Amino acid sequence: MIPKIIQGANFSDYRGIISYVNDFSFSDIARFYIISNTPENPIRAWQGHKLDAKNFYCLSGSFKIHFVKVDNWENPSKKLIVETILVSESDSKIVHIPPGYANAIESLEVNSKLISFSTLPLANVSEDDSRYPSDYWSLNG
């Protein structure tokens, strides 16, 4: 499985705006959390998952979601290709990162908020979580 975008849309009328992603299914979601990076540390990197899928939706501001397919969990190559998808509050979409990837979350604006839906129950997270230094893979190409 590869990362993908699940596109939604926005509807507006005199009452306001509704943002939605109707093609996203919550059937496998075990938990969620909201990420808000500080201006001093706008990048949260790198966290990999062998079993857990991540689904990111921007609530406010904008983010770059960086991800890399991990080739070796104990000693991944530093030459892996980093891919990036931009998300913003005005573009209603979910970025689905399947198991087998490491990701980095980069805030592009102060007070940006990102919601993350995870498929692995909290009780199983410690056996799945692989962390790498924030500079392990370059975000500048």
Side-chain angles (χ1 to χ4, degrees), residues 26-48:
F26 284 89
S27 63
D28 294 329
I29 302 304
R31 58 195 167 86
F32 79 92
Y33 47 95
I34 296 172
I35 299 167
S36 208
N37 295 337
T38 65
E40 300 79 25
N41 296 295
I43 299 174
R44 184 179 300 259
W46 284 92
Q47 187 171 349

Side-chain angles (χ1 to χ4, degrees), residues 31 33 46-56 68-70 73 97-104 116 118-120 124-132:
R31 58 195 167 86
Y33 47 95
W46 284 92
Q47 187 171 349
H49 303 281
K50 298 174 202 168
L51 306 171
D52 195 9
K54 298 291 183 184
N55 299 279
F56 299 108
V68 62
K69 175 77 169 145
V70 177
W73 291 101
I97 309 292
Y101 285 78
N103 65 69
S116 174
S118 298
T119 60
L120 195 65
N124 303 88
V125 168
S126 63
E127 65 194 52
D128 182 54
D129 195 32
S130 296
R131 294 182 186 249
Y132 307 99

Side-chain angles (χ1 to χ4, degrees), residues 18-133:
I18 296 174
S19 298
Y20 56 90
V21 183
N22 289 341
D23 292 332
F24 179 69
S25 173
F26 284 89
S27 63
D28 294 329
I29 302 304
R31 58 195 167 86
F32 79 92
Y33 47 95
I34 296 172
I35 299 167
S36 208
N37 295 337
T38 65
E40 300 79 25
N41 296 295
I43 299 174
R44 184 179 300 259
W46 284 92
Q47 187 171 349
H49 303 281
K50 298 174 202 168
L51 306 171
D52 195 9
K54 298 291 183 184
N55 299 279
F56 299 108
Y57 182 87
C58 184
L59 296 171
S60 63
S62 59
F63 290 84
K64 285 184 178 176
I65 309 296
H66 307 280
F67 53 93
V68 62
K69 175 77 169 145
V70 177
D71 61 346
N72 178 315
W73 291 101
E74 288 73 39
N75 188 24
S77 171
K78 292 190 175 195
K79 295 182 180 182
L80 297 175
I81 297 172
V82 175
E83 297 184 68
T84 302
I85 296 176
L86 178 67
V87 296
S88 71
E89 64 183 282
S90 62
D91 184 16
S92 188
K93 66 184 171 192
I94 290 177
V95 177
H96 172 77
I97 309 292
Y101 285 78
N103 65 69
I105 308 303
E106 181 180 1
S107 302
L108 300 178
E109 301 172 47
V110 175
N111 297 322
S112 292
K113 291 186 186 301
L114 187 76
I115 191 165
S116 174
F117 300 103
S118 298
T119 60
L120 195 65
L122 192 57
N124 303 88
V125 168
S126 63
E127 65 194 52
D128 182 54
D129 195 32
S130 296
R131 294 182 186 249
Y132 307 99

